[in-house]
Coordinates of all heavy atoms in Angstrom, one line a residue:
G1 N 142.2 5.1 81.5 CA 141.1 4.3 80.8 C 139.9 5.4 80.4 O 140.1 6.6 80.5
S2 N 138.9 4.6 79.9 CA 137.7 5.3 79.3 C 136.4 4.9 80.0 O 136.3 3.7 80.3 CB 137.6 5.1 77.9 OG 138.8 5.7 77.3
L3 N 135.4 5.7 80.0 CA 134.1 5.3 80.5 C 133.2 6.2 79.6 O 133.4 7.3 79.3 CB 133.9 5.5 82.0 CG 134.4 4.5 83.0 CD1 134.1 5.0 84.3 CD2 133.8 3.3 82.8
S4 N 131.9 5.6 79.5 CA 130.9 6.4 78.9 C 129.6 6.5 79.9 O 129.3 5.4 80.5 CB 130.4 5.7 77.5 OG 129.5 6.4 76.9
L5 N 129.1 7.7 79.9 CA 127.8 7.8 80.8 C 126.8 8.2 79.8 O 127.0 9.1 78.9 CB 128.0 9.0 81.8 CG 129.2 8.9 82.8 CD1 129.3 10.0 83.7 CD2 129.1 7.6 83.6
S6 N 125.6 7.7 80.0 CA 124.3 8.1 79.3 C 123.3 8.6 80.1 O 123.2 8.2 81.3 CB 123.8 6.9 78.4 OG 124.8 6.5 77.5
C7 N 122.4 9.5 79.6 CA 121.3 10.1 80.3 C 120.2 10.2 79.3 O 120.2 10.7 78.3 CB 121.7 11.4 80.9 SG 120.4 12.1 81.8
A8 N 119.0 9.7 79.9 CA 117.8 10.0 79.1 C 116.8 10.7 79.9 O 116.6 10.4 81.2 CB 117.2 8.7 78.7
A9 N 116.1 11.7 79.5 CA 115.1 12.4 80.3 C 113.7 12.2 79.7 O 113.6 11.9 78.6 CB 115.5 13.9 80.1
S10 N 112.8 12.4 80.6 CA 111.4 12.1 80.2 C 110.5 13.3 81.0 O 111.0 13.7 82.0 CB 110.9 10.9 80.5 OG 110.9 10.6 81.9
G11 N 109.4 13.6 80.4 CA 108.5 14.5 81.0 C 108.3 15.9 80.3 O 107.3 16.4 80.3
R12 N 109.4 16.4 79.8 CA 109.5 17.8 79.2 C 110.5 17.8 78.0 O 111.3 17.0 78.1 CB 109.8 18.8 80.2 CG 108.9 19.0 81.5 CD 107.6 19.6 81.0 NE 106.8 19.8 82.3 CZ 105.6 20.4 82.3 NH1 104.9 20.6 81.1 NH2 104.9 20.5 83.3
S13 N 110.3 18.7 77.2 CA 111.3 18.8 76.1 C 112.4 19.9 76.6 O 111.9 21.1 76.8 CB 110.6 19.4 74.7 OG 111.6 19.5 73.8
L14 N 113.5 19.4 76.8 CA 114.6 20.3 77.5 C 115.2 21.2 76.6 O 115.3 20.9 75.3 CB 115.5 19.4 78.2 CG 115.0 18.4 79.2 CD1 116.1 17.5 79.9 CD2 114.3 19.2 80.4
S15 N 115.7 22.3 77.1 CA 116.5 23.3 76.3 C 118.0 23.1 76.4 O 118.7 23.5 75.6 CB 116.2 24.7 76.8 OG 116.6 24.8 78.1
A16 N 118.5 22.4 77.3 CA 119.8 22.1 77.5 C 120.0 20.8 78.4 O 119.1 20.5 79.2 CB 120.6 23.2 78.2
M17 N 121.1 20.0 78.3 CA 121.4 18.9 79.1 C 122.9 18.9 79.3 O 123.6 19.5 78.6 CB 120.9 17.6 78.4 CG 119.4 17.5 78.2 SD 119.0 15.8 77.4 CE 119.3 14.7 78.9
G18 N 123.3 18.0 80.3 CA 124.8 18.0 80.5 C 125.1 17.2 81.7 O 124.2 16.4 82.1
W19 N 126.3 17.4 82.2 CA 126.8 16.6 83.3 C 127.6 17.5 84.3 O 128.3 18.5 83.8 CB 127.9 15.6 82.8 CG 127.1 14.5 82.0 CD1 126.9 14.5 80.6 CD2 126.5 13.4 82.4 NE1 126.2 13.4 80.2 CE2 126.0 12.7 81.4 CE3 126.3 12.7 83.8 CZ2 125.4 11.5 81.5 CZ3 125.7 11.6 83.8 CH2 125.2 10.9 82.7
Y20 N 127.4 17.3 85.6 CA 127.9 17.9 86.6 C 128.5 16.9 87.4 O 128.2 15.6 87.3 CB 127.2 18.9 87.5 CG 126.8 20.2 86.8 CD1 126.1 20.3 85.9 CD2 127.3 21.4 87.5 CE1 125.7 21.5 85.2 CE2 127.1 22.7 86.9 CZ 126.2 22.7 85.7 OH 126.0 24.0 85.2
R21 N 129.7 17.2 88.3 CA 130.1 16.2 89.2 C 130.5 16.7 90.6 O 130.6 17.9 90.7 CB 131.4 15.5 88.6 CG 132.7 16.5 88.4 CD 133.7 15.9 87.7 NE 134.9 16.7 87.6 CZ 136.0 16.4 87.0 NH1 136.0 15.4 86.2 NH2 137.0 17.3 86.9
Q22 N 130.5 15.8 91.5 CA 130.8 16.2 92.9 C 131.7 15.2 93.5 O 131.3 14.0 93.8 CB 129.5 16.5 93.8 CG 129.7 17.1 95.0 CD 128.4 17.6 95.7 OE1 127.4 17.2 95.4 NE2 128.6 18.5 96.8
A23 N 132.9 15.7 93.9 CA 133.8 14.8 94.7 C 133.6 15.0 96.1 O 133.1 16.0 96.6 CB 135.3 15.2 94.2
P24 N 134.0 14.1 97.0 CA 133.9 14.1 98.4 C 134.5 15.5 98.9 O 135.7 15.8 98.6 CB 134.6 13.0 98.9 CG 134.5 12.0 97.8 CD 134.6 12.8 96.5
G25 N 133.8 16.2 99.7 CA 134.2 17.4 100.3 C 134.3 18.6 99.4 O 134.8 19.6 99.8
K26 N 133.8 18.5 98.2 CA 133.8 19.6 97.2 C 132.4 19.9 96.8 O 131.6 19.1 96.9 CB 134.8 19.2 96.0 CG 136.3 19.0 96.4 CD 137.1 18.9 95.2 CE 138.5 18.7 95.6 NZ 139.4 18.5 94.3
Q27 N 132.4 21.1 96.2 CA 131.1 21.6 95.6 C 130.8 20.9 94.2 O 131.7 20.4 93.5 CB 131.1 23.0 95.4 CG 131.1 23.8 96.8 CD 130.9 25.4 96.6 OE1 131.2 25.9 95.6 NE2 130.3 26.0 97.4
R28 N 129.5 20.9 93.9 CA 129.2 20.3 92.6 C 129.8 21.3 91.5 O 129.7 22.4 91.6 CB 127.8 20.2 92.4 CG 127.3 19.4 91.2 CD 125.8 19.2 91.2 NE 125.3 18.4 92.4 CZ 124.2 17.7 92.5 NH1 123.2 18.0 91.5 NH2 123.8 17.1 93.6
E29 N 130.4 20.7 90.4 CA 130.9 21.5 89.4 C 130.6 21.0 88.0 O 130.3 19.9 87.7 CB 132.5 21.5 89.5 CG 133.2 20.1 89.2 CD 134.7 20.2 89.3 OE1 135.2 21.2 89.7 OE2 135.2 19.1 89.0
L30 N 130.6 22.1 87.2 CA 130.3 21.7 85.7 C 131.3 20.8 85.1 O 132.5 20.9 85.4 CB 130.3 23.0 84.9 CG 130.4 23.0 83.4 CD1 128.9 22.5 83.0 CD2 130.8 24.2 82.8
V31 N 130.8 19.9 84.3 CA 131.7 19.1 83.5 C 131.4 19.4 81.9 O 132.5 19.9 81.3 CB 131.4 17.5 83.6 CG1 132.3 16.6 82.8 CG2 131.6 17.1 85.2
A32 N 130.3 19.3 81.6 CA 130.0 19.6 80.1 C 128.6 19.7 79.9 O 127.8 19.1 80.6 CB 130.5 18.6 79.2
T33 N 128.1 20.7 79.2 CA 126.8 21.0 78.8 C 126.5 21.1 77.3 O 127.5 21.5 76.6 CB 126.1 22.1 79.6 OG1 126.8 23.2 79.1 CG2 126.2 22.0 81.1
V34 N 125.4 20.9 76.8 CA 125.0 21.2 75.4 C 123.7 21.7 75.3 O 122.7 21.2 76.1 CB 125.2 19.8 74.6 CG1 124.4 18.7 75.1 CG2 124.9 20.1 73.1
T35 N 123.4 22.6 74.5 CA 122.0 23.2 74.4 C 121.3 22.5 73.1 O 121.9 21.8 72.3 CB 122.2 24.7 74.1 OG1 122.7 25.0 72.8 CG2 123.0 25.4 75.1
R36 N 120.1 22.8 73.2 CA 119.3 22.3 72.0 C 119.9 22.9 70.6 O 119.8 22.1 69.6 CB 117.9 22.8 72.1 CG 116.9 22.4 71.0 CD 115.5 22.9 71.2 NE 114.8 22.2 72.4 CZ 114.0 21.2 72.2 NH1 113.7 20.8 71.0 NH2 113.4 20.6 73.2
G37 N 120.4 24.0 70.7 CA 120.9 24.6 69.5 C 122.3 24.1 69.2 O 123.0 24.5 68.2
G38 N 123.0 23.2 70.0 CA 124.2 22.5 69.8 C 125.4 23.4 70.4 O 126.6 23.0 70.1
V39 N 125.2 24.3 71.3 CA 126.3 25.0 71.8 C 126.8 24.1 73.0 O 126.1 23.7 73.9 CB 125.8 26.4 72.4 CG1 127.1 27.0 73.1 CG2 125.3 27.2 71.2

């Protein structure tokens, strides 16, 4: 199946945003990130 996650930030103008995840018993890991420049 499919799901969509959204995130909105306030307070500062960020240089990068993205998502990390943490499964039970595991360390937090990168999922995806994007920079202001589109990388």
